[in-house]
Amino acid sequence: MDIVGNVLPQVLKDEATEDKGEMARLQSFVGAIAVADLVKTTLGPKGMDKILKPTGPGQEMTHITVTNDGATILRSMYVENPAAKILIEISKTQDEEVGDGTTTVAVLAGELLREGEKLIQKRIHPQHVIAGWRIARDVALKRLRDISSENDINSQEFHDDLVKIARTTLSSKLITTDRDYFADLCVKAVLRLKGSSNLDYIQIIKLPGGTIRDSYLDDGFILKKQITIGCKRRIENAKILVANTAMDYDKIKIYGTKVKVNSMDKVAEIEAAEKEKMKHKVDKILKYQPTVFVNRQLIYNYPEQLLADSGITVIEHADFEGMERVAAATGAEILSTFDAPERSAQVLGHCDLIEEIMIGEEKMIKFSGCKKNEACTIVLRGASTHILDEVDRSIHDALCVLITTVKNRRVVWGGGNSEMQMAAACEEEAKKVQGKQAFAIEAFARALRQIPTIICDNGGYDSAELIQNFKVELQKGNQICGLNMTDGTIGNMSELGVKECLRVKEQALMAASEAAELIMRVDDIVKCAPRKRERA
Amino acid sequence: MSLAFDDYGRPYIILRDQGSKKRMKGLEAYKSNILAAKAVANTLSSSLGPKGMDKMLVSPDGDVSVTNDGSIIVEKMEIQHPTAKLLVELSQSQDAEIGDGTTGVVVLAGKLLEQALTLLDKGNHPLKISDGFDRACDVAIKHLETISEEIDIQANEHEALIQAACTALGSKVVSKRKRELGKIAVTAVLDVADLARKDVNLDLIKIQTKTGGSVEDTRLISGILIDKDMSHPQMPKEVKEAKICLLTCPFEPPKPKTKHNINISSAEDYKKLYQQEQQYFVDMVKLVKDSGANIALCQWGFDDEANHLLLQNELPAVRWVSGTDVELIAMATGARIIPRFQEITPEKLGKAGSVKEVQFGTSNERMLVIENCQCTKAVTILIRGGSQMIVDEAKRSIHDAICVIRNLIKDNRIVYGGGSAELACAIQVLQYADEVSSVEQYAIRSFADALEGIPCCLADNCGLNPITSVAQAKSRQLQENNPRIGIDCMELGTTDMKEQRIYETLSSKKQQIQLATQVVKMILKIDDVIAPDDY
């Protein structure tokens, strides 16, 4: 009923709800802040991990995940709150775009909203808050770009920077104790790509067993397959034919065919014809004179035997990705027809040595000395699949950051330096701005400063003390100071070698402020009636 | 109520199944309908104007979208009340016809209904109200035309168009970058516009979204972007001076629609069939190659063998190109869509400056760009943003801006925004009311009040005092005889909308007032609602 006493007719469907004004805003803030709080303990080198356990009937004992990666945590969560979904969404985008900083982006957006909520309680209109945030974001972005530095791509400095960045990224992960080792490994892998950003060339193989330290970078290419029995196990100077063709008794692709015969002889004839057709195909393949034949599809015994008889090593059932990598690494063309043996030199891949190796318990095929030396393999070892999965995610993060850095080449100091600098810039700007927006700019600065504060808190240090000292140190003009998370002091980032990629910071800042703005602008939430599902 | 008695006093039923149906009649029906429609208008009213807020909508499947676009909000609210649904359609027809002002039209309808309710309470007959509104509407429209101004869309590097686009974008989440996005939209529209015929084919502007980066990274690509990559990983990533063969038949053996069987009864048959099968692919590729094409785009899939033959013949190809893309490419490159391999001729090929593959982010997603097309200049606006919701909202905003620009190219008359046009009309309608001697004058006066509701609503959303600011603006309009005084939403220190350069198209404003009046008239004519009870 409205104030006059009229009965309001029902406009929306049953079970649909509409929340307006303060209620809607409260709902968004609560949801977004809850999500941010959930992941914030994973932030920084002393951040903690989370266990993700699937729920639902029959899922109790299934595979669990232990991780520190913000995107993985958020992606696996089922939330109903729409604002929380927005935060999860930006975290996913951050993961796709730059691969790291997925926790930072959600936490920053959450902190912005926490500050925004306070401003709204002070009766400042959301649009004014947004106006202030926009000014602050531009100022912060400008400062961030100003403090970044660039090195020539081939210089030793750039190489050192890459190692430092990889170390910084890995320091918050499970493998922090071995971060120097892995940082070096990742940088080597990325530098092999020679500036291309194709992560496909870096293959990661996970094998339980051994310790994390036993992981290594193999400059060859490893295919998780076995060489068919009866073939040579070691081929030097291999000529590789990579194919995607049916090697069973070829199905007839013409529609509607059917074999209909009227005597046993005919059956035999057709069988012979089939065999001949296969033989014909094998002969055509042989004309290319390969020494190794890799096929994506399965190979029947007969053609396999024919090929093996001719001294060709056969690898069947290679998966699609693996095959593309083999092709890319060895410079082979993926063939599906075999009518042009004169192009043999062009289409065959080449590598110095193919051999079957044993890693742990498993047999694999290693291609070394490939024509194109871009591909490489990182073999990860570890005590359990959970550890391996987490190491895989960490390495993936590091590789993504490194690739982004190679593309962008600009770096900033880590250890909260960039956030503190941005916050300082915002505060300076706030002093110059007239109107209520200034409060929002200050709030933006506080939100930025929350990131190093949370990092301190997670490390168990006195964050209030440290951050204040940090502020003073910056004010004194020490541009390269930052948090030393081993001693709990303010240290020199140059000496500690903590660097981060500018692009990651930029993307986190922009995505977080965009998302916070989006949530802030909402004054009405309409939830439609949930779709009824038929119960099986 | 629906039970009557005949001459002998026997009851008979007028309405069947009365128990299971709900019926509302007379004043009760009017009021119920108006209240339902008003509820929708109220939800939208806080989205009006540059400082309007957004709505968060959760779909039945739990997907979230955040938007400021009136027509999208009412569509996604899944309204079930029949009268409220009329407002949904109202917003959608504004969207279909004009593309912008979808919120304004619903808010105006709401204000009109509010006035109608008071008039009903005073005992006015609904049809009299509706007649009065009708006459007032005519006056308002006429006045709009007199205060409209023609603008030179060419002057100053299309400054006027950019301003109009900025006005449309000003209320959206992307408003921070409205200038840049406005420019992109203007360039895109002008690229494809046929200025001689004053027409714009909006199909030629493709809006592609991709999450990542930020809204600033949105850019205009003078070509067509398709979300596909080459069919074989080893095909060249760039084709210059492309001659495009556009196919709608798969590189596969033919599959006749008629049911048939091919019986193989001997080994020779078997061999022949095998050869024929091989021959199909060779022929297909040869036909394409012979026509001089150096890239093939196909709506369907490729057989592995055909795919490899294409590679072997150095003919890059793309498979599974969507139907709309195929048509767009055909329009832009002058290619004919070829349904059979036998019909490929050199004349049917489309030409483009280059076709190349571009890559985004770390997740290895690739897209193809077709640039410098031969015929028309099809363009693509690639929208970037921090999350799917932002990107979606940016897409809707840019669509609005594009529509505004198109309308201006069609008809270059504008009125000024900021509520000034509504206020000017209200003054005019009020004057007219005094000249009317019949009872309709009350309705006409109420129409004027409803029009004033728009600037009121604007001022309210901007955190200004609505009564003071509207009163001030109104008195200045009357004193200075200047129809351009409105509400200073952006707090720029002037209420003259010409100085603030807030442009709206005349066609959009006219349409808003007309459509809103029509819907209100329709609602006012309903005096009986019969519906199943559970509603």
Side-chain angles (χ1 to χ4, degrees):
Chain A
M1 276 201 272
D2 69 359
I3 16 171
V4 208
N6 292 316
V7 178
L8 271 181
Q10 187 188 356
V11 176
L12 299 172
K13 283 186 181 159
D14 291 341
E15 290 179 61
T17 56
E18 183 177 6
D19 288 306
K20 289 189 172 203
E22 288 306 301
M23 277 313 291
R25 220 164 271 139
L26 192 70
Q27 211 182 332
S28 317
F29 288 147
V30 168
I33 292 171
V35 167
D37 282 352
L38 189 113
V39 287
K40 85 177 182 191
T41 53
T42 62
L43 202 66
K46 300 279 166 93
M48 305 299 274
D49 291 0
K50 307 263 177 239
I51 287 185
L52 305 171
K53 183 170 163 289
T55 53
Q59 297 261 302
E60 290 81 9
M61 294 313 289
T62 44
H63 192 72
I64 59 158
T65 314
V66 184
T67 184
N68 182 285
D69 182 35
T72 312
I73 299 171
L74 291 174
R75 194 178 293 144
S76 327
M77 268 190 336
Y78 177 77
V79 296
E80 205 158 329
N81 186 294
K85 278 189 183 158
I86 294 182
L87 249 61
I88 292 174
E89 187 70 33
I90 54 167
S91 183
K92 272 190 214 163
T93 314
Q94 176 86 6
D95 192 31
E96 283 162 19
E97 186 72 11
V98 287
D100 190 35
T102 49
T103 314
T104 315
V105 70
V107 171
L108 185 56
E111 290 303 330
L112 275 171
L113 289 169
R114 198 194 299 273
E115 293 293 337
E117 190 182 9
K118 287 182 205 152
L119 292 177
I120 291 195
Q121 276 164 2
K122 283 187 197 159
R123 316 283 310 148
I124 295 177
H125 194 272
Q127 290 284 4
H128 283 125
V129 178
I130 291 168
W133 282 356
R134 287 177 169 182
I135 301 172
R137 187 184 84 153
D138 283 355
V139 171
L141 200 60
K142 187 171 173 297
R143 173 64 62 94
L144 186 64
R145 284 180 182 153
D146 286 348
I147 58 169
S148 67
S149 57
E150 187 174 352
N151 278 320
D152 185 67
I153 191 146
N154 292 320
S155 64
Q156 185 59 36
E157 285 85 9
F158 187 67
H159 185 261
D160 289 348
D161 277 354
L162 284 181
V163 177
K164 284 174 190 161
I165 289 170
R167 271 170 42 109
T168 313
T169 309
L170 293 174
S171 65
S172 62
K173 314 286 180 187
L174 190 69
I175 44 176
T176 174
T177 43
D178 298 312
R179 62 174 187 233
D180 291 330
Y181 179 72
F182 280 103
D184 194 44
L185 193 144
C186 291
V187 171
K188 274 188 188 147
V190 168
L191 286 179
R192 287 178 78 93
L193 295 178
K194 297 186 184 76
S196 109
S197 57
N198 200 342
L199 260 185
D200 285 349
Y201 287 127
I202 302 174
Q203 193 192 16
I204 298 179
I205 287 182
K206 294 177 277 188
L207 284 173
T211 65
I212 296 179
R213 263 288 186 181
D214 295 333
S215 307
Y216 63 96
L217 177 78
D218 200 308
D219 54 357
F221 171 82
I222 294 176
L223 194 66
K224 234 176 154 178
K225 279 281 167 292
Q226 289 187 18
I227 295 176
T228 313
I229 303 153
C231 299
K232 268 194 277 179
R233 290 282 179 270
R234 184 186 158 89
I235 305 106
E236 278 175 34
N237 243 335
K239 285 194 262 172
I240 308 153
L241 193 138
V242 185
N244 175 16
T245 186
M247 291 298 273
D248 37 23
Y249 293 117
D250 257 16
K251 277 186 237 82
I252 297 168
K253 286 173 184 165
I254 292 172
Y255 187 69
T257 44
K258 206 175 181 184
V259 179
K260 210 173 188 180
V261 285
N262 42 21
S263 73
M264 283 309 284
D265 296 350
K266 295 264 167 133
V267 176
E269 269 176 35
I270 287 186
E271 202 194 333
E274 246 175 14
K275 261 193 168 172
E276 200 191 323
K277 180 177 160 193
M278 208 61 252
K279 176 121 185 19
H280 186 57
K281 195 165 191 176
V282 171
D283 284 344
K284 281 204 273 183
I285 291 168
L286 289 178
K287 279 211 186 109
Y288 281 82
Q289 295 174 321
T291 48
V292 180
F293 179 70
V294 185
N295 192 16
R296 191 178 82 85
Q297 302 174 24
L298 85 168
I299 304 173
Y300 273 18
N301 288 348
Y302 177 64
E304 189 180 290
Q305 177 210 330
L306 284 175
L307 286 165
D309 284 351
S310 319
I312 295 173
T313 304
V314 180
I315 302 165
E316 65 168 340
H317 240 211
D319 57 314
F320 214 100
E321 267 179 36
M323 212 185 51
E324 275 187 27
R325 285 203 191 110
V326 171
T330 60
E333 199 170 280
I334 301 172
L335 296 175
S336 295
T337 59
F338 310 94
D339 294 320
E342 68 279 2
R343 291 177 70 241
S344 166
Q346 226 174 315
V347 298
L348 291 191
H350 179 268
C351 77
D352 292 341
L353 178 68
I354 297 177
E355 59 184 336
E356 197 171 67
I357 50 165
M358 293 275 286
I359 308 175
E361 304 266 286
E362 278 199 70
K363 281 185 194 163
M364 305 212 176
I365 308 163
K366 179 177 163 186
F367 297 71
S368 35
C370 298
K371 204 170 179 180
K372 284 190 189 152
N373 236 346
E374 286 166 7
C376 58
T377 307
I378 296 174
V379 180
L380 296 179
R381 307 301 311 274
S384 76
T385 47
H386 299 142
I387 293 179
L388 283 175
D389 286 346
E390 177 61 1
V391 175
D392 179 16
R393 280 190 288 272
S394 313
I395 297 277
H396 176 261
D397 276 9
L399 290 175
C400 286
V401 173
L402 288 176
I403 282 178
T404 316
T405 317
V406 170
K407 263 200 257 176
N408 179 270
R409 299 223 295 276
R410 299 194 76 90
V411 291
V412 290
W413 297 107
N417 181 291
S418 56
E419 282 88 359
M420 292 298 279
Q421 293 255 25
M422 285 193 277
C426 290
E427 265 168 7
E428 283 160 30
E429 184 67 24
K431 289 175 193 151
K432 296 180 220 153
V433 172
Q434 280 198 335
K436 290 179 265 196
Q437 289 92 320
F439 287 104
I441 302 176
E442 280 170 11
F444 200 92
R446 278 197 297 279
L448 280 169
R449 207 163 272 144
Q450 272 313 107
I451 301 277
T453 310
I454 294 167
I455 295 180
C456 283
D457 283 340
N458 288 347
Y461 300 119
D462 183 353
S463 62
E465 171 102 10
L466 264 178
I467 297 298
Q468 180 56 29
N469 292 348
F470 196 163
K471 239 161 125 177
V472 172
E473 197 67 26
L474 270 182
Q475 190 68 34
K476 280 188 203 157
N478 183 358
Q479 297 294 323
I480 52 170
C481 59
L483 296 172
N484 179 342
M485 289 303 288
T486 23
D487 305 341
T489 53
I490 302 299
N492 183 329
M493 287 297 115
S494 172
E495 280 166 22
L496 290 168
V498 182
K499 284 203 164 187
E500 283 177 279
C501 168
L502 171 75
R503 186 80 191 87
V504 175
K505 292 277 163 200
E506 257 180 17
Q507 178 71 22
L509 178 69
M510 290 194 289
S513 59
E514 265 177 14
E517 198 179 300
L518 193 71
I519 295 172
M520 196 59 148
R521 282 175 63 101
V522 170
D523 76 333
D524 195 316
I525 300 177
V526 179
K527 279 192 195 136
C528 295
R531 203 183 295 286
K532 296 268 185 300
R533 293 191 198 287
E534 297 288 318
R535 293 242 164 197
Chain B
M1 219 193 304
S2 51
L3 202 66
F5 297 92
D6 63 9
D7 298 345
Y8 306 98
R10 287 176 305 198
Y12 64 90
I13 293 167
I14 298 174
L15 198 64
R16 276 181 76 80
D17 302 330
Q18 198 194 348
S20 63
K21 280 186 177 146
K22 206 165 88 177
R23 182 155 185 227
M24 268 191 298
K25 269 175 75 173
L27 209 56
E28 190 199 1
Y30 287 120
K31 282 194 178 164
S32 165
N33 286 336
I34 289 176
L35 283 173
K38 252 185 68 187
V40 178
N42 275 346
T43 301
L44 282 195
S45 67
S46 66
S47 286
L48 192 73
K51 298 272 173 89
M53 305 295 277
D54 292 358
K55 310 282 172 238
M56 196 183 268
L57 300 149
V58 185
S59 81
D61 300 317
D63 299 327
V64 181
S65 49
V66 178
T67 182
N68 185 282
D69 187 321
S71 68
I72 304 286
I73 298 172
V74 287
E75 185 193 321
K76 295 206 172 173
M77 272 170 85
E78 297 208 341
I79 288 166
Q80 68 156 15
H81 193 283
T83 329
K85 266 188 187 161
L86 287 176
L87 288 202
V88 178
E89 277 162 30
L90 167 70
S91 187
Q92 278 163 358
S93 54
Q94 173 83 11
D95 192 35
E97 184 73 18
I98 304 290
D100 182 42
T102 49
T103 314
V105 69
V106 176
V107 175
L108 182 60
K111 295 282 173 200
L112 282 171
L113 287 169
E114 203 172 302
Q115 294 295 334
L117 197 63
T118 342
L119 289 172
L120 281 173
D121 278 344
K122 283 183 188 160
N124 283 284
H125 191 275
L127 282 182
K128 289 287 173 202
I129 302 173
S130 141
D131 282 349
F133 280 0
D134 213 10
R135 288 164 74 172
C137 175
D138 288 344
V139 175
I141 299 289
K142 265 197 208 108
H143 189 62
L144 268 185
E145 278 176 17
T146 54
I147 62 167
S148 69
E149 289 176 25
E150 278 192 15
I151 50 158
D152 184 0
I153 54 170
Q154 302 286 355
N156 215 350
E157 289 174 4
H158 307 285
E159 184 58 28
L161 291 183
I162 297 175
Q163 282 301 335
C166 285
T167 309
L169 291 170
S171 59
K172 316 286 183 189
V173 72
V174 293
S175 61
K176 184 171 199 305
R177 298 288 154 204
K178 62 181 177 189
R179 180 92 201 156
E180 289 87 336
L181 293 179
K183 266 190 190 159
I184 287 176
V186 170
T187 325
V189 175
L190 287 174
D191 273 352
V192 301
D194 184 348
L195 288 176
R197 279 198 311 130
K198 288 193 172 179
D199 195 18
V200 184
N201 185 356
L202 288 189
D203 289 345
L204 290 174
I205 302 175
K206 191 179 172 200
I207 304 179
Q208 183 83 39
T209 59
K210 181 88 183 68
T211 52
S214 82
V215 178
E216 276 101 290
D217 301 329
T218 298
R219 59 195 159 145
L220 184 70
I221 294 164
S222 55
I224 302 165
L225 193 72
I226 45 175
D227 198 356
K228 288 279 171 301
D229 55 1
M230 296 293 183
S231 62
H232 196 289
Q234 285 159 336
M235 282 178 181
K237 304 288 178 226
E238 186 171 0
V239 180
K240 286 235 162 82
E241 297 300 320
K243 290 191 194 120
I244 301 164
C245 179
L246 213 52
L247 292 165
T248 52
C249 45
F251 273 95
E252 275 164 18
K255 279 182 188 166
K257 297 235 166 42
T258 326
K259 246 190 171 178
H260 67 283
N261 278 327
I262 302 171
N263 288 336
I264 302 169
S265 50
S266 69
E268 284 82 65
D269 286 0
Y270 184 84
K271 277 181 205 161
K272 237 189 249 165
L273 201 65
Y274 172 61
Q275 272 156 12
Q276 174 134 37
E277 186 189 287
Q278 300 289 307
Q279 200 56 39
Y280 268 130
F281 298 128
V282 177
D283 286 348
M284 282 174 188
V285 177
K286 192 167 180 300
L287 281 167
V288 179
K289 191 77 187 167
D290 283 351
S291 68
N294 56 10
I295 181 160
L297 304 184
C298 182
Q299 204 182 349
W300 302 102
F302 297 170
D303 189 273
D304 283 342
E305 282 183 35
N307 200 6
H308 175 253
L309 275 175
L310 286 166
L311 174 72
Q312 198 176 318
N313 284 299
E314 286 161 8
L315 191 68
V318 185
R319 58 184 149 185
W320 300 119
V321 180
S322 77
T324 43
D325 283 345
V326 166
E327 279 173 26
L328 187 62
I329 295 166
M331 269 197 282
T333 61
R336 293 274 294 280
I337 298 172
I338 306 167
R340 269 180 216 93
F341 286 99
Q342 286 72 24
E343 287 169 22
I344 303 175
T345 54
E347 305 85 66
K348 287 182 181 170
L349 300 181
K351 291 187 183 65
S354 78
V355 179
K356 64 179 173 197
E357 208 172 85
V358 284
Q359 195 182 9
F360 299 100
T362 58
S363 58
N364 241 331
E365 281 182 66
R366 302 187 188 97
M367 290 190 185
L368 279 179
V369 189
I370 303 172
E371 282 177 325
N372 297 329
C373 304
Q374 161 187 253
C375 280
T376 41
K377 282 192 73 180
V379 293
T380 308
I381 298 174
L382 177 66
I383 298 176
R384 310 295 312 272
S387 68
Q388 192 59 45
M389 291 103 183
I390 300 236
V391 173
D392 287 346
E393 177 65 356
K395 181 175 177 178
R396 289 189 283 263
S397 313
I398 291 209
H399 174 260
D400 279 9
I402 287 174
C403 287
V404 170
I405 301 163
R406 177 199 57 181
N407 295 339
L408 267 183
I409 290 176
K410 274 186 176 167
D411 180 356
N412 64 350
R413 285 177 297 171
I414 54 143
V415 290
Y416 292 93
S420 66
E422 283 89 351
L423 214 48
C425 289
I427 293 170
Q428 192 67 25
V429 171
L430 215 51
Q431 275 174 12
Y432 171 72
D434 296 337
E435 298 160 18
V436 178
S437 55
S438 59
V439 277
E440 278 99 339
Q441 63 164 290
Y442 293 102
I444 296 172
R445 222 167 263 138
S446 297
F447 191 90
D449 285 345
L451 280 174
E452 261 176 44
I454 298 283
C456 259
C457 187
L458 268 180
D460 209 10
N461 288 348
C462 301
L464 300 167
N465 186 332
I467 305 169
T468 336
S469 41
V470 173
Q472 271 172 3
K474 200 172 162 188
S475 74
R476 275 194 64 193
Q477 279 213 4
L478 280 168
Q479 276 166 17
E480 299 169 23
N481 196 16
N482 177 358
R484 296 183 301 271
I485 305 290
I487 306 293
D488 179 19
C489 299
M490 304 306 290
E491 289 163 61
L492 295 176
T494 169
T495 49
D496 192 327
M497 292 300 128
K498 193 168 186 177
E499 278 170 42
Q500 283 209 14
R501 301 206 281 190
I502 309 290
Y503 299 155
E504 284 186 65
T505 56
L506 174 67
S507 50
S508 161
K509 248 313 96 89
K510 259 166 70 178
Q511 188 84 11
Q512 272 188 10
I513 296 181
Q514 278 168 338
L515 283 176
T517 314
Q518 270 173 27
V519 165
V520 170
K521 274 169 62 188
M522 194 195 283
I523 294 176
L524 281 175
K525 286 191 87 164
I526 305 167
D527 77 335
D528 201 338
V529 181
I530 304 163
D533 199 24
D534 57 345
Y535 130 132

